[in-house]
Amino acid sequence: MSGITLPDGFRWERLQRDHPRRQFQSSQTEVDEWLYAKAWQHQKKHLSVTKVLLDETSRIVGYFTLATGQVDFGDLPNDLTKRLPRRWLPVAVLAWLGVSVDRQGHGVGRRLLAQALRDCYEAGDTFAFVAVILDCLTDTAKSFYQKWDFKELPGHPYRLFVSYQQLEAMMTE
């Protein structure tokens, strides 16, 4: 996966208090409410980091939130846990991803996910993790992530993961 190209005038920024969060609408209430009400507070408390994609008018056209977490050894598939200690294992968490309703279907979600995965990969040089996990709200979201080789965690059909080895392969293609 090479660098993520953006349309002219678009830029990434870490979420700031004065970004126009209330103007963002994705058609998913939970996604919108997270950005409006919780993303900034969680970032200030160092619980997560939210990056926004701004257009040429400084309007938020999409965002993603990353965090760290742990998953029980037994919740991961056997092929991923071979030779790993039987304990809670570190994971990167793609906690939220949203695309403005007027930009859906224009490659913004693909760019957001690509950047989120790039950020996870680069963080892997500093903070080790065995996989990137996420929870899907809808079947449409699940289908989108599965196109990027995310697989279901056993027994959790809407919790998906991509192993660090898969992520590394994506980034070095």
Side-chain angles (χ1 to χ4, degrees), residues 21 67 70-71 73 75 122 125 133 160:
R21 294 175 303 203
Q70 294 182 322
V71 70
F73 174 94
D75 288 343
E122 290 173 359
D125 286 340
I133 64 168
L160 306 181

Side-chain angles (χ1 to χ4, degrees), residues 97-160:
L97 187 145
V99 177
S100 177
V101 76
D102 63 324
R103 298 290 182 150
Q104 292 175 7
H106 297 281
V108 173
R110 180 179 48 79
R111 286 182 174 101
L112 290 166
L113 181 57
Q115 186 64 50
L117 293 175
R118 165 98 26 223
D119 287 0
C120 288
Y121 176 72
E122 290 173 359
D125 286 340
T126 305
F127 298 100
F129 56 91
V130 299
V132 177
I133 64 168
L134 59 89
D135 290 301
C136 299
L137 295 176
T138 66
D139 288 331
T140 302
K142 182 178 177 180
S143 176
F144 170 75
Y145 292 115
Q146 287 177 322
K147 291 177 188 170
W148 286 72
D149 293 330
F150 277 82
K151 307 285 185 239
E152 290 180 17
L153 277 176
H156 303 277
Y158 286 91
R159 177 164 276 188
L160 306 181

Side-chain angles (χ1 to χ4, degrees), residues 20-147:
R21 294 175 303 203
R22 285 260 171 217
Q23 295 173 8
F24 180 82
Q25 292 184 336
S26 70
S27 78
Q28 290 287 320
T29 302
E30 301 94 330
V31 172
D32 300 346
E33 286 297 320
W34 167 261
L35 183 62
Y36 302 160
K38 296 183 181 172
W40 175 246
Q41 289 77 14
H42 279 235
Q43 187 166 282
K44 286 190 323 185
K45 294 174 185 175
H46 297 278
L47 298 172
S48 62
V49 172
T50 298
K51 275 194 177 175
V52 293
L53 180 58
L54 302 171
D55 68 11
E56 61 280 349
T57 67
S58 296
R59 190 175 67 90
I60 299 172
V61 297
Y63 79 92
F64 64 84
T65 301
L66 297 175
T68 58
Q70 294 182 322
V71 70
D72 185 80
F73 174 94
D75 288 343
L76 296 170
N78 292 335
D79 60 330
L80 181 60
T81 58
K82 279 188 256 181
R83 300 184 180 139
L84 292 178
R86 294 181 173 274
R87 60 177 178 84
W88 286 88
L89 298 169
V91 293
V93 180
L94 176 53
W96 294 95
L97 187 145
V99 177
S100 177
V101 76
D102 63 324
R103 298 290 182 150
Q104 292 175 7
H106 297 281
V108 173
R110 180 179 48 79
R111 286 182 174 101
L112 290 166
L113 181 57
Q115 186 64 50
L117 293 175
R118 165 98 26 223
D119 287 0
C120 288
Y121 176 72
E122 290 173 359
D125 286 340
T126 305
F127 298 100
F129 56 91
V130 299
V132 177
I133 64 168
L134 59 89
D135 290 301
C136 299
L137 295 176
T138 66
D139 288 331
T140 302
K142 182 178 177 180
S143 176
F144 170 75
Y145 292 115
Q146 287 177 322
K147 291 177 188 170

